[in-house]
Amino acid sequence: MRIDAALGSEHHLIRSGPYGVVRNPIYTSMLWVVCATAVIVPPWPLFLISLLLFVIGTEIRVSTEEKLLEARFAGEFEEYKRSVGAYVPFL
């Protein structure tokens, strides 16, 4: 298990399955969990703060990961980026 973002020699760019719908399906599912929590936890200000912190943290992580992917897969990743949304399908 890794804490930092890295690519190993065995990694390849996956564009099928959930990665064919969004580039970051794990972060998308985490976003849905944060939003579902808003239904259970009534104080909206707390939800908005948690949503803001989640989005900021996720953007930092995704930016780091995508720089690694761009360096490794260059044009293939750029094409993938143009055709598949980061978090929301077709956006």
Side-chain angles (χ1 to χ4, degrees):
M1 182 172 149
R2 295 191 67 103
I3 294 175
D4 61 332
L7 289 175
S9 59
E10 73 283 356
H11 284 122
H12 58 278
L13 188 61
I14 299 173
R15 298 179 69 168
S16 61
Y19 293 96
V21 180
V22 290
R23 290 193 314 268
N24 302 287
I26 293 170
Y27 299 131
T28 298
S29 65
M30 290 170 62
L31 176 62
W32 282 109
V33 168
V34 170
C35 291
T37 303
V39 175
I40 298 168
V41 180
W44 280 91
L46 290 178
F47 164 68
L48 295 175
I49 291 168
S50 65
L51 182 63
L52 178 66
L53 291 173
F54 173 79
V55 168
I56 290 169
T58 300
E59 278 300 308
I60 291 168
R61 178 71 181 202
V62 166
S63 173
T64 302
E65 291 175 358
E66 289 195 345
K67 286 177 187 171
L68 289 170
L69 292 168
E70 287 170 352
R72 174 83 173 270
F73 301 109
E76 184 182 3
F77 183 71
E78 283 301 318
E79 176 191 330
Y80 176 54
K81 219 172 147 176
R82 279 192 302 274
S83 62
V84 177
Y87 308 105
V88 180
F90 317 111
L91 183 66

